[in-house]
Amino acid sequence: RDMTSIIGNNDGGGIFSFLPRANEKECFEELCGTPHGLDFSHVIEMYGGRFSRVRDWQQFLQACEESLHETGLKVIEVITDRESNVELHRIMAEKAAKGLELMLASETYVH
């Protein structure tokens, strides 16, 4: 079976960065950061898959394109930063909310 899986790796604990306590830097990393430092490539290769680690948009596009021409399991790991990830999610949520408001306020929207 052919499959390409894309995983985000923020070195663990990224979900907790959305909590209000994330601003308390003194103890947050120790209690919630949970950095694991794991290299997932070994597990993927152990099962005969192909592993790619990408750090920017160009590498991501290239890895996706290459995966279309290969058979079997392919895993693309995207390295992310916890703090910028939270900020990006907040920006996208604001934009989505504003877009929804505009759509609902539009005269062309069918109720």
Side-chain angles (χ1 to χ4, degrees):
R1 296 190 170 114
D2 300 332
M3 182 178 106
T4 298
S5 180
I6 300 168
I7 59 173
N9 183 355
N10 60 29
D11 199 28
I15 191 75
F16 301 114
S17 296
F18 288 88
L19 297 174
R21 299 274 186 213
N23 295 328
E24 297 177 18
K25 302 292 181 193
E26 293 175 16
C27 62
F28 179 77
E29 187 63 27
E30 182 180 342
L31 297 174
C32 299
T34 64
H36 52 69
L38 296 176
D39 181 350
F40 297 104
S41 65
H42 306 293
V43 175
I44 306 306
E45 292 165 359
M46 180 175 70
Y47 287 101
R50 187 180 70 77
F51 179 87
S52 299
R53 180 175 292 120
V54 300
R55 297 184 187 276
D56 61 40
W57 185 245
Q58 187 62 35
Q59 289 177 342
F60 176 73
L61 292 175
Q62 182 178 349
C64 288
E65 176 65 30
E66 290 172 1
S67 76
L68 295 174
H69 305 288
E70 296 179 352
T71 59
L73 172 65
K74 287 95 42 191
V75 174
I76 301 169
E77 177 187 58
V78 180
I79 303 297
T80 62
D81 174 76
R82 280 186 252 153
E83 289 183 25
S84 61
N85 182 51
V86 171
E87 183 61 25
L88 179 61
H89 273 81
R90 288 186 177 136
I91 290 169
M92 296 305 290
E94 285 177 26
K95 289 181 183 278
K98 285 180 183 176
L100 185 58
E101 278 181 31
L102 289 172
M103 183 186 79
L104 292 174
S106 170
E107 292 179 21
T108 59
Y109 176 71
V110 178
H111 297 276

